[in-house]
Amino acid sequence: MLTINALTVRLGGRPILEGASASITPGSRVGLIGRNGAGKSTLMKAIIGEIEPDDGAIEMPKRTRLGYIAQEAPSGSATPFETVLAADAERTALLAEAEHCHDPDRLGDVHDRLIAIDAYTADARAARILIGLGFDEDMQGQPLDSFSGGWKMRVALASLLFSAPDVLLLDEPSNHLDLEATLWLENFLKSYPGTLLVISHERDLLNSVVDTILHLQGGKLTLYPGGYDAFERQRAERAAQLAAAKASQDAQRARLQDYVARNSARASTAKQAQSRAKMLARMQPITALIDDPSLSFDFPNPSELRPPLITLDLAAVGYSEVPVLRQLNLRIDPDDRIALLGRNGNGKTTLARLLAAQLAPMEGSLHASAKMQIGYFTQYQVEELAGDATPLEHMTRAMSGKTPAAVRAQLGRFGFSGPRATQQVGKLSGGERARLALALVTRDAPHLLILDEPTNHLDVDAREALVQALNDYAGAVILISHDRHMVELTADRLVLVDDGTAHDYPGSIEDYIDFVLGRNQPKGEGAAKTAKPKKLSGEAKEAARLAKKQVGEAEAEVARLQKEMSALDRAMFDPATASPALAALTMGELSRRRGKLADQLESAEAAWLGASEALERKVA
């Protein structure tokens, strides 16, 4: 049992955890969640003893082995394979002792223990973990110093998984992983024999791996049974209960205050009034759950451009005259929503840089619309923000020549209004810095938005807000992300980057996941054909483009009618918020107008459904 008992931690005089308590049973799989800056990493550091609590305690059985990834990535001349094997300190020590031990009794004990800890299958287990995290046989034998920081952190993760601690503590383990490695990690964690406590903002991981959610909010901990979706339902129910309780308490408070005000001056009722005044003083206010109003993503919509935005014709791209990708034949239209799939190292970022005009084609051609604006987001932009500058200073420099009102408006789209605009970047959370970087790259209302792992450092609620913003955005989107929930909800076209080229993947993201995990794959000759893209003729491509345009127009009409319907509903049920034109209408006129609008919306939705089915037939 891991027990967190009335834990209080203050950093810089500011309380991070205040009387936080929770009990985690052995073998539990717990997802630790909370808004950015809530104190999740602080709690983990307190559990491993890196931070001394100001009050309270963390209790666990003696000899409990805790496993946690150090912030500093491993380095040196050792290989990933050697580093992972060395992570099992007991095995390493026992093998060394066995080589030099001359006491037959002790030697027997050593060999018995080696068998008990499965030491003789260690090589195979280490290799299996490294392969799952993206290291092929050749990479496993290269020195650590030949790898980037992200790959070194994968080695650190592999070492931790191999060491198999009693309590496995993971802090955003998928941040340095691609989709393929993330899927492998989920499967690995599902069968992990010890206790798991993982900080994650990956909705799919939290749903498929954990059986308990530990929610950190306002310095307090609350346990919820089930995965993330179950937590959301329970949180919504709790919010409704709190809102109802608060409304009831507010009404009771108003009645008591009214009684005290009317009866305090009368001698006959003064005693009762004093009693009620004391009752008011003792009444603890109920605080409703409050969502962060600054959680905002709102991409400015671009001007219209005729398709295509970009055409690649037998293009090749790479570095230092060495191509990474060849034979690229891609067309990107203004309404495309594309997710790039493929393992890290296959060339997804290289392709993104080619489309962003950061790299020129080595062979073939790239044709782009002359008026096209491109917004390209990477994690490097987040890391390179000046910590001593404010969001307002960053945006003012980026929007040189624009009015202060325009600068403030762009910041406001992303939640940096009022004092938030003048707070130093160094004091912002990782999610807030990512939001600022997105505000900067979209300041010119780009026609094409290229996002390379935009969800790192964003909590679950922020990711949902980003999904909504992308779906509302009128430009084209190219997405590289290991968050398949985001891919599922935003991309309608998948491009697989593999074998030195890129082509449209014919299935859905679920098909691709099955393909990666080896599920539902045909045997024999058919297996080689599963990932082959379907070739469309010129006429078929144009028909598909027109069908896609009709779908977009139908979607826009449905959205317009839904907006009108919402305005009518507000006018009928909350007249104070209605526009002057609607406020002037009688309830009967509003009702008749709503009836007509409902008929139009039903027809528009039918048209959208028909257009969508037609598009599916065109590309099937």
Side-chain angles (χ1 to χ4, degrees), residues 109-133:
D109 292 340
V110 167
H111 283 293
D112 286 344
R113 182 58 183 163
L114 285 168
I115 292 170
I117 64 174
D118 208 13
Y120 299 109
T121 64
D123 288 13
R125 286 186 286 113
R128 187 164 60 248
I129 290 172
L130 284 167
I131 288 170
L133 293 177

Side-chain angles (χ1 to χ4, degrees), residues 363-384:
E363 302 170 7
S365 62
L366 181 153
H367 300 285
S369 174
K371 297 180 180 179
M372 179 177 57
Q373 294 279 352
I374 297 176
Y376 182 30
F377 171 89
T378 72
Q379 285 300 312
Y380 297 111
Q381 292 161 323
V382 178
E383 296 162 5
E384 291 169 0

